[in-house]
């Protein structure tokens, strides 16, 4: 496991879309945490890859996140495992980042399969626990436990942002602090 740093880490946002985003457990909290994570990643200059599962069927990314993701286009996928989408793997490889934070829905389907396969392919994966959800809370725990068993690191919003900042004297610290408080 590598230490998170602004030089080696990126963020993957998985399928926070349409009505499903409102149906997952604790959806308002999930969306608020993901918004903070995305803003933190932008503040720290991390590459952000943004996925949408079958947007014509499920709807587009929720409006609360769009203002923070509009710097690039969503990578559209139809497979639950984003690693089976060539454009996603090309985007991952193009960043030359070995470490990835993962957030999104549903924890036990698309988040699980994508994180599992990225880990299998040799990437250092950190699941941001308060930035994932599923319709049923037990599926969140199932996915978290299974991914941890396979060597995926489990972190939290505040924990990963502070690990990335590393020092309260850096200019980005004040912006991160505003997000967390």
């Amino acid at each position: 496991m590598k230490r998170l740093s602004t030089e080696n880490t990126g963020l993957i946002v998985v399928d926070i879309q349409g009505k499903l985003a409102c149906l997952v457990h604790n959806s308002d909290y999930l969306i608020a945490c993901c918004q903070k994570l995305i803003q933190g990643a932008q503040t720290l200059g991390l590459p952000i890859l943004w996925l949408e599962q079958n947007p014509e069927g499920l709807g587009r990314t929720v409006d609360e996140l769009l203002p923070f993701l509009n710097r690039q286009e969503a990578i559209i996928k139809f497979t639950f495992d984003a690693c089976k989408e060539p454009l996603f793997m090309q985007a991952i490889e193009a960043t030359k980042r070995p470490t990835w934070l993962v957030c999104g829905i549903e924890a036990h389907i698309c988040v699980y399969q994508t994180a599992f396969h990225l880990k299998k392919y040799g990437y250092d994966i950190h699941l941001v626990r308060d930035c994932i959800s599923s319709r049923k809370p037990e599926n969140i725990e199932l996915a978290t436990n299974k991914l941890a068993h396979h060597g995926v690191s489990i972190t939290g919003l505040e924990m990963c942002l502070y690990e990335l900042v590393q020092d309260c004297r850096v200019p980005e610290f004040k912006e991160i602090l505003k997000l967390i408080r």
Side-chain angles (χ1 to χ4, degrees):
M1 176 177 78
K2 297 172 181 68
R3 177 174 168 76
L4 298 176
S5 77
T6 56
E7 293 81 29
N8 75 359
T9 304
L11 172 63
I12 300 168
V13 180
V14 181
D15 307 342
I16 307 174
Q17 321 164 220
K19 292 178 185 173
L20 183 59
C22 298
L23 295 175
V24 297
H25 177 71
N26 216 356
S27 67
D28 290 340
Y29 179 74
L30 166 79
I31 292 168
C33 286
C34 287
Q35 184 178 351
K36 291 175 185 179
L37 180 62
I38 293 164
Q39 287 179 279
Q42 288 177 336
T43 297
L44 297 169
L46 304 184
I48 300 170
L49 301 181
W50 161 36
L51 297 164
E52 286 186 343
Q53 172 77 25
N54 184 20
E56 288 185 24
L58 294 177
R60 301 302 310 232
T61 297
V62 296
D63 290 341
E64 296 91 334
L65 300 181
L66 283 177
F68 307 102
L69 293 170
N70 64 7
R71 294 180 186 175
Q72 71 275 347
E73 289 292 315
I75 298 171
I76 306 301
K77 65 184 183 64
F78 296 91
T79 59
F80 303 125
D81 176 3
C83 296
K84 292 183 178 178
E85 171 51 57
L87 290 176
F88 174 69
M89 292 308 296
Q90 290 168 10
I92 288 277
E93 291 163 8
T95 68
K96 303 207 182 315
R97 301 288 172 124
T99 303
W100 290 91
L101 297 168
V102 178
C103 70
I105 61 175
E106 280 196 85
H108 66 297
I109 304 172
C110 296
V111 170
Y112 168 76
Q113 290 184 35
T114 300
F116 175 83
H117 284 107
L118 284 170
K119 180 68 178 172
K120 183 178 169 186
Y121 296 149
Y123 291 94
D124 185 31
I125 304 302
H126 296 251
L127 185 69
V128 186
R129 176 61 183 81
D130 43 357
C131 293
I132 63 166
S133 193
S134 293
R135 287 163 289 152
K136 296 180 181 177
E138 55 269 23
N139 284 331
I140 303 166
E141 292 310 312
L142 178 63
T144 302
N145 292 339
K146 195 167 181 183
L147 286 168
H149 177 75
H150 288 291
V152 169
S153 297
I154 309 302
T155 190
L157 169 64
E158 190 170 337
M159 185 178 196
C160 70
L161 289 178
Y162 275 92
E163 186 174 347
L164 285 161
V165 170
Q166 298 182 17
D167 189 324
C168 68
R169 297 170 291 185
V170 299
E172 298 86 359
F173 173 71
K174 288 182 181 178
E175 288 302 313
I176 297 300
L177 189 60
K178 286 180 195 174
L179 291 172
I180 299 302
R181 290 191 172 168

